[in-house]
Amino acid sequence: MAERASSITRNTAETQISLDLKLDGEGKFTGTTGIGFFDHMLHLLARHGLMDLNIEAKGDLEVDFHHTVEDVGIVLGSALKEALGDKIGIVRYGCSYLPMDETLARVVIDFSGRAFLEHRVPELVPNIGDFPFQLVEEFLRAVSFNVGANLHTEILYGRDSHHMAEALFKGLGRVIDQASAIDPRVKGVPSTKESL
């Protein structure tokens, strides 16, 4: 099987991002976005998704973290789409229930080619240090819309905002790994339309 990998660079007036992705990796994360907590989350995503991920991002952090977080999601989604290629033989679906102490998250993905995010979390979750919790949703939306996937994410219960974010990122890594896995029983793509 050919290596499923991608390298993407995206430069705008707000961010400059280069990303290297090896989908069938060992869970290694290198690089930085300039946002410590976000780097921690990306490291978790790579580790639990068994993908190798190198990100070098510079953004207008003096404005806020929004542009950098969203644009990294755009680039990661684009890289996943490129690495998945024609999707021949993939499982297509992934589902994870992931506990993190008092928190339980559910993350479900379908590499359908149709972009959609359904994101359900408690209202008014506090920031994690200086990282606004609502940026987790912005990242997830950017990934799902740029890879072309249905992504459903939910905090079933929880109290600690760090734990909620961590469970969602770990869960995302796990479902990407599950859904992108090659099943030798699948002929073509797993769709009666014969196209994803």
Side-chain angles (χ1 to χ4, degrees):
M1 186 178 70
E3 181 177 70
R4 298 190 297 171
S6 178
S7 295
I8 293 186
T9 299
R10 183 175 193 267
N11 293 311
T12 72
E14 297 168 341
T15 61
Q16 298 81 50
I17 300 168
S18 63
L19 184 148
D20 299 305
L21 168 71
K22 183 178 176 186
L23 195 54
D24 305 301
E26 299 175 356
K28 296 177 182 175
F29 174 77
T30 54
T32 184
T33 64
I35 305 168
F37 179 77
F38 189 38
D39 289 348
H40 175 44
M41 294 298 104
L42 292 168
H43 190 182
L44 294 171
L45 184 145
R47 176 62 61 89
H48 293 275
L50 293 172
M51 65 184 82
D52 294 340
L53 192 57
N54 177 69
I55 300 174
E56 295 295 342
K58 294 182 180 177
D60 54 357
L61 303 184
E62 72 283 357
V63 175
D64 68 9
F65 295 165
H66 188 286
H67 298 145
T68 300
V69 172
E70 181 179 31
D71 287 6
V72 167
I74 289 170
V75 175
L76 178 59
S78 300
L80 285 166
K81 183 174 184 176
E82 188 173 286
L84 285 167
D86 56 17
K87 302 179 189 173
I88 297 293
I90 67 166
V91 171
R92 178 177 168 176
Y93 299 99
C95 178
S96 174
Y97 282 84
L98 203 137
M100 180 66 197
D101 294 348
E102 86 298 338
T103 294
L104 182 64
R106 176 171 56 210
V107 182
V108 184
I109 200 166
D110 173 11
F111 284 130
S112 62
R114 297 185 310 276
F116 191 86
L117 174 68
E118 182 68 27
H119 182 68
R120 299 180 183 184
V121 299
E123 291 186 20
L124 304 175
V125 177
N127 291 354
I128 306 153
D130 57 356
F131 187 89
F133 184 80
Q134 66 263 29
L135 291 184
V136 173
E137 180 177 0
E138 295 304 321
F139 173 78
L140 295 170
R141 181 177 293 107
V143 171
S144 67
F145 274 65
N146 284 275
V147 70
N150 274 205
L151 179 61
H152 290 244
T153 54
E154 184 172 13
I155 297 297
L156 298 173
Y157 45 82
R159 293 181 299 278
D160 184 284
S161 53
H162 187 134
H163 293 167
M164 291 184 201
E166 187 162 329
L168 290 169
F169 273 82
K170 286 178 177 177
L172 179 62
R174 288 187 58 81
V175 299
I176 289 171
D177 182 51
Q178 289 173 23
S180 65
I182 300 296
D183 185 333
R185 298 171 298 169
V186 176
K187 307 304 178 194
V189 296
S191 172
T192 54
K193 297 188 188 90
E194 299 184 0
S195 176
L196 287 176

